Amino acid sequence: MALAAAGTAYTLHAYEHDSATPSYGEEAAEALGVTPDRVFKTLVADVDGELTVAVVPVAGQLDLKALASAVGGKRAAMADPAAAERTTGYVRGGISPLGQRKRLRTVLDSSASEHATICVSAGRRGLEVELSPADLAALTAAVLAPIGRD
């Protein structure tokens, strides 16, 4: 795993994924017993023709205008799910900001810095990795910006 190779402190959390769940992130928060503001979902958006990763709390939504602004773009829209899966190498609901097939620009919602650790997908449904926001930002070369909204 890329985290071990980088010498990053992390904890893996596995849980039984229910395929009927409407929200993967909220399911993860409940299964792990952590507040939803500490569990972050990984979304892939198209910003001016370039796929970009947005990491935001599962309790909120992605502000596409703020994402575009954070990377100096004009317009953002959610990426085609098939393109997101093909480019990252992960399936929807299990896309991780780490270890993607192709490294994409990444923006981490600035609320992450309010927590000592956050949880993000570890690359499949039912598996989360807990690590510090600073480590996640360093490993993904992420920009921190207020891209989430309630």
Side-chain angles (χ1 to χ4, degrees):
M1 181 174 228
L3 293 169
T8 302
Y10 67 94
T11 305
L12 277 180
H13 299 283
Y15 61 93
E16 195 62 41
H17 166 64
D18 176 1
S19 59
T21 189
S23 170
Y24 302 120
E26 289 175 12
E27 175 191 42
E30 188 174 314
L32 301 178
V34 298
T35 58
D37 63 331
R38 279 192 50 225
V39 178
F40 282 64
K41 56 189 169 186
T42 305
L43 303 172
V44 181
D46 180 316
V47 179
D48 298 337
E50 186 177 343
L51 291 182
T52 302
V53 171
V55 185
V56 296
V58 300
Q61 295 180 345
L62 171 61
D63 182 333
L64 289 165
K65 274 187 167 177
L67 175 64
S69 177
V71 295
K74 289 182 170 46
R75 185 169 298 155
M78 293 307 297
D80 171 65
E85 290 179 348
R86 190 172 48 254
T87 304
T88 64
Y90 296 118
V91 297
R92 199 170 65 88
I95 294 178
S96 176
L98 300 161
Q100 296 175 357
R101 183 177 290 150
K102 178 183 178 194
R103 189 173 191 155
L104 300 174
R105 288 188 303 186
T106 301
V107 182
L108 175 60
D109 185 66
S110 53
S111 70
S113 59
E114 298 168 8
H115 307 285
T117 61
I118 60 171
C119 297
V120 296
S121 176
R124 68 175 167 82
R125 297 172 189 155
L127 188 64
E128 294 281 309
V129 62
E130 181 178 353
L131 73 168
S132 79
D135 285 341
L136 178 61
L139 290 166
T140 59
V143 172
L144 262 72
I147 59 168
R149 65 173 188 230
D150 295 333

